[in-house]
């Protein structure tokens, strides 16, 4: 039987993980010499390529020196941390990839802690040693200290380190002696990572991830821990309540290169995908029906935030999207939970409104962005944090917030974070930057990124991850400024915007089509203000003495999807269509507003 190594790659966002996997794939000659492949082969989703992040964990396999190496590519962002913990269980070793300048980042710490708890053998890859100001030796010491603090065993602390540059396609045991290939890393994997054990006995396969195909439905992905699986065989699926359900394996697939290959059987130690299992959940064990031996169940991260999703009922609904009805919205959301495990959906008392629960702003925004690209029109409300009652006390999710900022603006960031009940835990210099770590309520993070980027002229780098639930931290002030609201339908004029510039900052440019109730700017004061920017200049046949004042308009402030989600208030919706993102009041006219005020 072929020897197998199962290895997961963990790294922080933008440390070069996907690029390294590219180079391993190329080095293993999966592609024909004349085949066009491009870069970032695994980030095959448009959103992943644009944002430069890995959203979905993926599996590939390469054969090197006759040994099959299964590589599990994991997401690097905290909102997709639930994905990481599960897939680590399929591995026997872990490649910890760290940037030669930035070192180990907070998300790396979170995932590395999980990997060490599972007893995985680590190999540290210090990447980007070709960068200016890189400090590979310091980063190596930093990783050792981090592993020590995470209670690594003596064997894990005696880790092997490889240095190199994924982008330039080389790895070496000494960063000052570059090579011209990445074979030193592959040799180190064969040398250090233990061979996947292949014990005989009653079959045990645990579902750790899933895929979805419109042809065959849900596909279970996981690892065979014991015995072997055979195509067409009847087996038992152990559920969370202890019951065993009779199922049959219709098709078995193993990972081969970038795809999957159909096989008749899979032996212990290998990863595989199973087609035809009905009603399975993450953590279920596929085993013998008459003599079941279930494995310990996996825990899936609970959502920490929810948003109201509803149909678009703005005046121009249906003009930009293909799918606009509540039936379309319901079908699409319930289709998403087939494969997006950290997502939950709850029906409300209204047929066209749904509460969607997720891991954070990014997790929910990726779903919204995907839907608008598919042609959906929808509206979402302000993100709300999920509270829990623990030991009779109302508790809220607390996150670890890490900010790297230039020295001269660190004070502003500390002030902004502490205003939102953040506690400064660590402050240390990192080159010409300050490294700040806070513990802050999740609700304090909503809208904080905008304020921090404004205060630091866009130079702050922010990351956060869920830590735990703690008792409520008290009231946090929301957005200080009110909204400027359009009074009329129709395009705005440069003349009116110019005259109203002292009232606040505008989000729209002259000529953009607007409607009554649309949020078109931020008021300079706390209250909302309804303004008419459709008014044109009164023209006469008299020539003005002197020259007319030309309108000098400040360019409008534009928001990304996440920024807009964090910006809106409780009485506002975000209207999302394939071509536009608009903010609006839930009420579009005065009579509706008064009716809603009476209800409250």
């Amino acid at each position: 039987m072929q020897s197998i190594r199962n290895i997961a790659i963990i790294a922080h966002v933008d440390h070069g993980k996907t690029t390294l996997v590219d180079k391993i794939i190329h080095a293993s000659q999966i592609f024909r010499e004349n085949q066009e492949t491009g870069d970032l082969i695994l980030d095959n989703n448009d959103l992943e390529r644009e944002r430069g992040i890995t959203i979905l964990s993926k599996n590939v396999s390469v054969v090197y020196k006759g040994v099959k190496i299964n590589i599990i590519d994991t997401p690097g962002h905290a909102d997709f941390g639930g994905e990481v913990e599960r897939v680590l269980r399929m591995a026997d070793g872990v490649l910890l990839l760290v940037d030669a300048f930035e070192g180990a980042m907070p998300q790396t710490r979170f995932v590395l802690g999980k990997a060490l708890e599972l007893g995985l053998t680590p190999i540290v890859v210090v990447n980007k040693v070709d960068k200016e100001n890189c400090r590979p030796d310091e980063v190596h010491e930093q990783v050792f200290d981090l592993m020590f603090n995470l209670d690594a065993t003596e064997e894990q602390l005696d880790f092997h380190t490889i240095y190199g540059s994924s982008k330039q396609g080389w790895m070496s045991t000494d960063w000052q002696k570059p090579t011209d290939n990445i074979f030193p890393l592959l040799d180190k994997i064969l040398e250090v990572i233990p061979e996947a054990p292949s014990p005989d006995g009653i079959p045990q396969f645990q579902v750790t991830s899933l895929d979805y195909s419109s042809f065959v439905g849900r596909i279970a992905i996981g690892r065979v821990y014991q015995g072997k699986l055979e195509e067409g065989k009847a087996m038992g699926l152990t559920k969370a309540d202890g019951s065993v359900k009779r199922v049959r394996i219709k098709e078995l697939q193993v990972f081969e290169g970038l795809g999957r290959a159909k096989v008749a059987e899979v032996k212990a130690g290998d990863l595989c995908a199973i087609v035809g299992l009905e009603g399975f959940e993450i953590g279920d064990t596929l085993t013998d029906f008459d003599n079941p031996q279930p494995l310990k169940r996996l825990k899936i991260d609970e959502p920490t935030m929810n948003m109201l999703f509803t149909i678009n009922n703005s005046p121009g609904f249906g003009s930009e999207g293909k799918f606009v009805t509540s039936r379309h919205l319901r079908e699409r959301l319930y289709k998403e939970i087939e494969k997006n495990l950290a997502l939950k959906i709850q029906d409300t008392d209204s047929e066209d409104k749904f509460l969607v629960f997720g891991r954070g702003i990014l997790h929910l925004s990726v779903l919204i962005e995907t839907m608008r690209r598919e042609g959906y029109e929808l509206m979402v409300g302000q993100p709300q944090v999920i509270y829990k009652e623990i030991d009779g006390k109302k508790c809220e999710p607390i996150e670890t917030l890490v900010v790297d900022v230039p020295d001269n603006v660190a004070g502003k960031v500390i002030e902004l974070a502490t205003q939102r009940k953040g506690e400064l835990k660590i402050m240390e210099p990192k080159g010409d930057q300050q490294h700040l770590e806070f513990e802050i309520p999740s609700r304090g993070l909503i809208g904080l990124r905008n304020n921090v980027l404004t205060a630091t002229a866009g130079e702050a780098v922010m990351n956060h991850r869920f830590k735990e639930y703690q008792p409520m931290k008290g009231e946090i002030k929301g957005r200080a400024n009110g909204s400027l609201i359009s009074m009329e339908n129709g395009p705005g004029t440069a003349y009116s915007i110019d005259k109203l510039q002292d009232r606040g900052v505008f989000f729209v440019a002259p000529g953009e089509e607007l409607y009554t109730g649309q949020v078109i700017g931020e008021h300079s004061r706390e209250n909302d203000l309804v303004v008419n920017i459709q008014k044109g200049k009164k023209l006469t046949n008299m020539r003005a003495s002197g020259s007319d004042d030309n309108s000098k308009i400040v360019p409008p402030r534009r928001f990304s999807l996440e920024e807009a989600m964090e910006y809106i208030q409780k009485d506002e919706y975000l209207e999302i269509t394939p071509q536009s993102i608009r903010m609006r009041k839930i009420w579009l006219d005065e009579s509706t507003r008064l009716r809603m005020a009476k209800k409250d």
Side-chain angles (χ1 to χ4, degrees):
M1 184 188 157
Q2 188 180 30
S3 177
I4 295 172
R5 304 284 190 277
N6 295 317
I7 190 157
I9 299 190
I10 56 177
H12 190 76
V13 176
D14 205 28
H15 278 200
K17 170 164 52 70
T18 307
T19 308
L20 178 61
V21 176
D22 277 4
K23 300 300 179 190
I24 293 173
I25 290 168
H26 283 294
S28 308
Q29 296 179 331
I30 283 175
F31 299 111
R32 302 186 307 276
E33 284 183 23
N34 63 347
Q35 189 173 344
E36 184 65 40
T37 58
D39 294 329
L40 305 177
I41 300 159
L42 283 192
D43 282 354
N44 50 16
N45 172 322
D46 285 345
L47 272 177
E48 292 180 314
R49 284 175 169 271
E50 284 168 27
R51 291 166 183 255
I53 59 173
T54 298
I55 294 171
L56 305 166
S57 64
K58 304 174 190 73
N59 302 52
V60 295
S61 81
V62 297
V63 176
Y64 178 68
K65 292 186 177 175
V67 177
K68 181 179 182 182
I69 303 173
N70 282 316
I71 301 166
I72 304 155
D73 183 28
T74 61
H77 195 281
D79 279 14
F80 307 104
E83 223 23 63
V84 176
E85 290 180 60
R86 296 193 313 275
V87 296
L88 282 177
R89 289 184 176 266
M90 296 197 282
D92 296 304
V94 64
L95 278 188
L96 172 64
L97 192 70
V98 289
D99 187 299
F101 171 70
E102 292 182 1
M105 297 288 274
Q107 175 64 6
T108 317
R109 180 191 182 97
F110 165 72
V111 185
L112 181 61
K114 299 286 178 192
L116 295 175
E117 269 177 46
L118 291 167
L120 302 182
T121 306
I123 295 177
V124 175
V125 180
V126 180
N127 192 25
K128 303 191 183 182
V129 296
D130 54 324
K131 265 172 109 173
E132 285 182 35
N133 304 326
C134 69
R135 44 194 190 102
D137 296 327
E138 279 179 56
V139 168
H140 180 266
E141 291 301 315
Q142 189 187 0
V143 172
F144 180 87
D145 294 342
L146 173 62
M147 288 205 190
F148 182 78
N149 292 336
L150 291 171
D151 298 327
T153 62
E154 287 199 16
E155 291 79 16
Q156 288 170 330
L157 284 173
D158 190 22
F159 57 84
H160 293 253
T161 307
I162 293 282
Y163 301 90
S165 165
S166 301
K167 194 173 179 182
Q168 294 183 359
W170 66 268
M171 290 285 152
S172 172
T173 49
D174 183 345
W175 67 276
Q176 290 168 328
K177 295 177 184 169
T179 62
D180 60 358
N181 58 56
I182 62 160
F183 294 139
L185 172 62
L186 295 174
D187 288 329
K188 192 62 74 178
I189 289 172
L190 300 192
E191 176 196 334
V192 175
I193 304 299
E195 184 178 343
S198 183
D200 292 327
I202 288 170
Q204 287 179 316
F205 164 92
Q206 188 161 45
V207 183
T208 48
S209 189
L210 59 82
D211 196 0
Y212 183 80
S213 158
S214 51
F215 299 107
V216 295
R218 296 164 89 217
I219 300 168
I221 295 174
R223 175 171 169 172
V224 185
Y225 291 91
Q226 185 173 290
K228 66 179 180 182
L229 301 181
E230 295 172 65
E231 189 179 28
K233 194 171 180 185
M235 302 193 74
L237 191 67
T238 58
K239 308 296 289 178
D241 58 5
S243 62
V244 183
K245 181 181 171 187
R246 194 181 286 277
V247 292
R248 187 177 296 277
I249 299 171
K250 284 185 184 165
E251 196 176 301
L252 280 173
Q253 299 168 348
V254 292
F255 295 95
E256 204 170 90
L258 292 170
R260 295 199 286 254
K262 189 178 169 186
V263 291
E265 65 172 37
V266 181
K267 293 185 175 163
D270 208 350
L271 313 182
C272 70
I274 302 177
V275 175
L277 295 189
E278 289 178 10
F280 69 83
E281 292 169 358
I282 295 298
D284 288 353
T285 303
L286 187 65
T287 182
D288 188 68
F289 180 77
D290 299 318
N291 186 13
Q293 287 189 6
L295 292 158
K296 186 181 170 191
R297 282 195 78 80
L298 298 166
K299 192 169 123 275
I300 296 178
D301 284 353
E302 288 292 310
T304 56
M305 203 167 272
N306 70 39
M307 285 180 86
L308 181 74
F309 279 52
T310 183
I311 57 168
N312 184 13
N313 62 6
S314 300
F317 79 96
S319 59
E320 295 179 5
K322 290 186 290 185
F323 308 112
V324 295
T325 65
S326 57
R327 179 179 63 82
H328 287 136
L329 185 60
R330 169 188 284 278
E331 283 174 3
R332 179 63 183 82
L333 290 174
Y334 278 96
K335 182 183 164 191
E336 185 66 24
I337 55 173
E338 291 279 352
K339 57 182 188 294
N340 195 335
L341 300 160
L343 204 71
K344 288 184 180 170
I345 292 163
Q346 185 180 311
D347 289 334
T348 64
D349 50 8
S350 170
E351 286 183 6
D352 54 15
K353 290 188 172 76
F354 307 90
L355 271 179
V356 179
F357 297 77
R359 295 278 301 141
I361 293 276
L362 182 67
H363 185 207
L364 291 167
S365 77
V366 164
L367 167 63
I368 294 167
E369 182 65 38
T370 307
M371 287 175 68
R372 73 184 280 235
R373 288 178 185 215
E374 290 170 3
Y376 285 83
E377 283 194 16
L378 66 149
M379 296 194 302
V380 296
Q382 187 190 43
Q384 303 291 329
V385 165
I386 299 168
Y387 302 106
K388 283 185 179 178
E389 193 161 305
I390 301 171
D391 300 330
K393 287 184 180 174
K394 189 179 181 183
C395 294
E396 65 177 335
I398 302 293
E399 309 216 12
T400 300
L401 169 69
V402 179
V403 191
D404 288 321
V405 283
D407 280 335
N408 58 332
V409 286
K412 291 180 184 174
V413 176
I414 294 169
E415 185 186 344
L416 286 168
T418 48
Q419 280 172 0
R420 291 164 174 260
K421 307 294 181 192
E423 291 177 36
L424 182 63
K425 296 291 184 183
I426 295 172
M427 180 176 181
E428 56 190 19
K430 191 184 203 180
D432 58 352
Q433 303 248 319
Q434 282 290 342
H435 178 77
L436 311 172
E437 287 192 25
F438 302 88
E439 276 187 17
I440 187 168
S442 291
R443 62 197 166 103
L445 287 169
I446 298 173
L448 179 64
R449 186 179 299 271
N450 275 337
N451 295 350
V452 166
L453 290 177
T454 304
T456 61
E459 293 197 50
V461 177
M462 286 176 65
N463 290 288
H464 56 89
R465 61 181 170 84
F466 173 71
K467 185 170 186 268
E468 62 188 357
Y469 271 84
Q470 288 181 12
M472 290 284 290
K473 299 284 185 187
E475 191 186 346
I476 295 175
K477 279 190 178 178
R479 194 176 90 206
N481 295 42
S483 301
L484 293 175
I485 302 151
S486 176
M487 183 188 287
E488 301 282 344
N489 296 329
T493 64
Y495 171 77
S496 293
I497 293 175
D498 181 38
K499 297 297 179 200
L500 290 165
Q501 283 189 117
D502 59 334
R503 294 303 181 100
V505 180
F506 281 91
F507 306 155
V508 293
E512 282 185 38
E513 198 64 40
L514 310 174
Y515 55 81
T516 307
Q518 184 176 336
V519 174
I520 54 174
E522 182 179 285
H523 192 195
S524 53
R525 300 189 179 178
E526 288 183 17
N527 60 311
D528 290 344
L529 182 68
V530 180
V531 294
N532 183 346
I533 67 165
Q534 282 83 0
K535 230 173 10 183
K537 185 179 180 186
K538 292 284 181 285
L539 300 175
T540 69
N541 60 358
M542 298 289 288
R543 182 174 293 179
S545 58
S547 59
D548 264 355
D549 287 338
N550 290 325
S551 299
K552 295 182 180 68
I553 298 172
V554 177
R557 181 173 163 195
R558 300 295 190 190
F559 290 86
S560 70
L561 177 59
E562 278 105 36
E563 287 167 348
M565 286 164 68
E566 290 186 339
Y567 184 82
I568 56 174
Q569 301 278 46
K570 277 186 180 174
D571 65 341
E572 292 170 355
Y573 276 150
L574 193 60
E575 179 196 352
I576 296 139
T577 72
Q579 293 168 33
S580 315
I581 295 173
R582 302 182 190 96
M583 290 177 252
R584 52 160 279 186
K585 287 292 174 184
I586 293 177
W587 51 270
L588 290 179
D589 54 50
E590 194 63 18
S591 60
T592 317
R593 185 178 75 80
L594 293 171
R595 201 163 59 243
M596 288 181 69
K598 278 182 187 172
K599 274 187 188 175
D600 292 344

